[in-house]
Amino acid sequence: MGDSSSLQYVSPYAFEAMQKVDVIRLAALSDPELRLLLPCLVRMALCAPADQSQSWAQDKKLLLRLLSGVEAVNSIVALLSVDFHALEQDANKEQQLRPTDEEAEQVLQLMTSRPPATPAGVRFVSLSFCMLLAFSTLVSTPEQEQLMLMWLSWMIKEEAYFESTAGVSASFGEMLLLVAMYFHSNQLSAIIDLVCSTLGMKIVIKPSSLSRMKTIFTQEIFTEQVVTAHAVRVPVTSNLSANITGFLPIHCIYQLLRSRAFTKHKVSIKDWIYTQICETTTPLHQQLIPLIDVYINSIITPASKSSPEATNKPITEQEILKVFQGHAGENFRQNQCSKITTQLLLLYYLLSYEEALLANSKTLAAMQRKPKSYSSLLMDQIPIKFLIRQAQGLQQELGGLHSALLRLLATNYPHLCIVDDWICEEEITGTDALLRRMLMTHSAKSHSPKQLQDAFLQLQSNHTQVMQILEHLTLLCASDLIPYAEVLTANMSQLLNVSVARRLLQTVNKLWMTLNTVMPRRLWVMTVNALQPSLKLARSHKYTQNDLMIDPLIVLRCDARVLRCPPLMDITLHMLNGYLLASKAYLNSYLKETADQDIKSSPSNAMAMQGQTETMEVTREELKNALLSAQDSAAVQILLEVCLPSEDKSPEQLEIEDSLLCNLREVQCLICCLLHQMFIADPNIAKLVHFQGYPCQLLPLTVAGIPSMHICLDFIPELIAQPELEKQVT
């Protein structure tokens, strides 16, 4: 083959070896000869062969071994992987899209023109701005860039005038602000999506093509400080709803909140958010719930550990109460028609804020931060259950707000999610109730709360008038009954007299259950205070919502006559069940709220502090569970004692109580029903009560009246194994 160090062409020997695919002869070639054949050899190694014989498989291995020592092979493989045909087609398409330089200048002049302040003008400016972002090559000279800068400055200056004159809610000013924020947070893909959706076409825009525009926006037109200062001065959207499309101030504020720009530059955004929430209507705009979520996060969680004070301010209690003023009676219902969205959003804000506060309690305690929690007094003045009912009827218009509120309600207010209440609510709002209201006479609507009070004052001498008014009130819907709640509960003690007709008691029970669907918490407090023993009533001792959540057994410290009045006992048991659930939620939140006490009392050593804090958490949790168990078992023991016949009765009265049609038997049935629910919810209560023991004469009643008593079979051997004979018997 001779010396081929300066070989510039393929030798005949190599050509023949290549033509015959003689791998052995190819392997004998020198490096310079082999280098000239590399593209062919690489292609040969990559292509699937027609020859599938064993000999060719061996030859291919030799070929691959031959190529493995050459560095240039990888580059050749990459080149051979390119689809040159497709590349040529793409190049042709791109060439077809290029206007000439003169045409590009004319297009730029058109796009940067200044149209009149009309809806079409607003649309034209928005489209032109997106075209500049999509086709940045239109701006290629310093003169063209200066023209674009002047046009953008004009947009910023005139956007408020355009919005007010053109009569549109979504102007190009919000789009400018939004693009600026996206540039600051380097969300180039979001800008591309915005451009494509505005132009109504899918355009391939390379993120690298936006680099010059990003520099212009972030350094010359909209610095981050300018963006935040400008955003907070942008007017809110009046009557914001899902019917208003396009890019609005709310989109800009949301993005700035996400990037923590307001806290970074110490710009207060609370007033803007509150005003926008107050300027909403149905159907709910889809950006409102995410806005509230990110706002709450910016209140509770600092932007960085180095500056824990860098947070936004929460909405004040006075501002919230202003929205809910006049929530009782007719004024509230009129207010609901126009402000239901605002009230529901503020309820969502309150519940979400409290949940986030508890969820972050440990982190906040470690940072020695404790954002202010909203007072229980504020929550007592908000008709939560009524608002939830309103939201249920507007689910289609409220998007996911109703389901989000239900989740928060189940977590924070389990006593407002009792299954019996939901069933009762379905009955009250059902077809029969609707038909009764359709047949309602004018007289049913004419009775005032004062007339009802006057009728109660004459109850001892005249039952008829009270009965007539109460019967008419049963035709009203739940919200219409709110003004009568105070009068109804305040006179409950009069219903405990022996001479009061059973029908009257049942009607009061029915009205109370209807009111319970719209104002349960306030109703419970009024009822508990009204049914106190006469001695406490004389002292004018009033319990608060907080008192009853801390000690639910207050409900059972009522007038003794209530315990033998089935309609009122039904109400009492309903309240007891609710406050037992409320007490659990209260103690759970209290433990999280006071988590900082564990950290403050822990030693300075980090490892020791962590271990001791965990131990204290476990201890506090165990103490809480023990308290709840003691509370539940005490309630069960008191109710079981109520089921016993009265000891101070005459033989005739005791004989009546032994019959199946007596008040005691009805009260026993009501109590057994509640105990069944409690045992099902927590079988440990049943075990605890039976280990504590109760009068053996009640065993026939509990076995027959409480279906869940069968769970006692699981621990009967353990119960009988106790050393005390009394506990074995009871």
Side-chain angles (χ1 to χ4, degrees), residues 511-523:
L511 290 171
W512 191 94
M513 292 299 176
T514 303
L515 282 167
N516 187 58
T517 64
V518 288
M519 49 174 295
R521 294 175 303 143
R522 184 164 155 242
L523 181 68

Side-chain angles (χ1 to χ4, degrees), residues 383-532:
I384 297 177
K385 196 67 182 289
F386 178 75
L387 289 173
I388 295 294
R389 278 193 63 188
Q390 297 299 308
Q392 185 177 0
L394 296 169
Q395 288 186 59
Q396 297 296 324
E397 297 184 58
L398 294 175
L401 182 58
H402 177 252
S403 56
L405 285 171
L406 285 181
R407 180 190 65 79
L408 290 165
L409 200 67
T411 304
N412 299 284
Y413 292 90
H415 49 296
L416 300 184
C417 299
I418 301 173
V419 176
D420 286 351
D421 285 355
W422 296 116
I423 296 173
C424 178
E425 187 173 325
E426 290 297 324
E427 294 175 356
I428 291 168
T429 58
T431 308
D432 292 343
L434 182 63
L435 287 172
R436 286 201 305 273
R437 287 177 199 127
M438 289 174 65
L439 298 172
M440 183 168 54
T441 60
H442 177 72
S443 59
K445 302 178 184 178
S446 63
H447 297 299
S448 66
K450 187 179 183 305
Q451 287 177 313
L452 179 62
Q453 178 61 46
D454 293 340
F456 267 116
L457 292 175
Q458 302 174 27
L459 179 64
Q460 301 304 319
S461 58
N462 183 7
H463 289 186
T464 308
Q465 189 177 2
V466 176
M467 191 67 232
Q468 186 179 26
I469 294 175
L470 293 179
E471 286 285 358
H472 284 160
L473 292 181
T474 58
L475 300 176
L476 299 178
C477 64
S479 57
D480 290 332
L481 281 175
I482 293 175
Y484 301 89
E486 194 167 345
V487 175
L488 193 69
T489 54
N491 289 281
M492 275 187 170
S493 57
Q494 292 194 54
L495 303 176
L496 296 171
N497 296 324
V498 179
S499 59
V500 174
R502 177 60 182 260
R503 183 182 172 187
L504 183 59
L505 289 167
Q506 288 176 326
T507 306
V508 169
N509 176 283
K510 183 178 181 180
L511 290 171
W512 191 94
M513 292 299 176
T514 303
L515 282 167
N516 187 58
T517 64
V518 288
M519 49 174 295
R521 294 175 303 143
R522 184 164 155 242
L523 181 68
W524 294 357
V525 175
M526 290 192 297
T527 307
V528 168
N529 285 313
L531 294 179
Q532 291 300 301

Side-chain angles (χ1 to χ4, degrees), residues 21-143:
V21 197
D22 191 339
V23 179
I24 296 175
R25 290 176 65 184
L26 289 171
L29 295 175
S30 64
D31 285 345
E33 287 180 306
L34 196 62
R35 187 170 295 277
L36 294 174
L37 299 173
L38 278 179
C40 295
L41 294 174
V42 171
R43 194 69 171 170
M44 188 188 300
L46 291 176
C47 291
D51 185 359
Q52 299 292 334
S53 65
Q54 186 65 29
S55 61
W56 169 245
Q58 295 300 323
D59 288 344
K60 188 172 182 180
K61 287 181 182 178
L62 181 59
L63 179 62
L64 292 172
R65 195 178 303 119
L66 183 66
L67 294 173
S68 62
V70 182
E71 293 182 2
V73 168
N74 291 334
S75 301
I76 295 172
V77 170
L79 283 171
L80 290 174
S81 300
V82 174
D83 188 345
F84 288 100
H85 178 66
L87 189 65
E88 184 183 9
Q89 286 183 326
D90 291 341
N92 289 335
K93 286 180 182 177
E94 186 175 352
Q95 200 65 31
Q96 289 170 6
L97 289 173
R98 295 179 183 275
T100 63
D101 291 341
E102 184 181 350
E103 290 171 336
E105 181 66 29
Q106 291 174 353
V107 170
L108 185 62
Q109 290 289 341
L110 174 64
M111 288 164 54
T112 55
S113 60
R114 302 176 183 184
T118 62
V122 171
R123 179 66 178 159
F124 177 83
V125 173
S126 301
L127 291 172
S128 297
F129 175 57
C130 289
M131 287 288 288
L132 279 174
L133 292 170
F135 304 104
S136 56
T137 52
L138 289 172
V139 182
S140 56
T141 66
E143 293 77 13

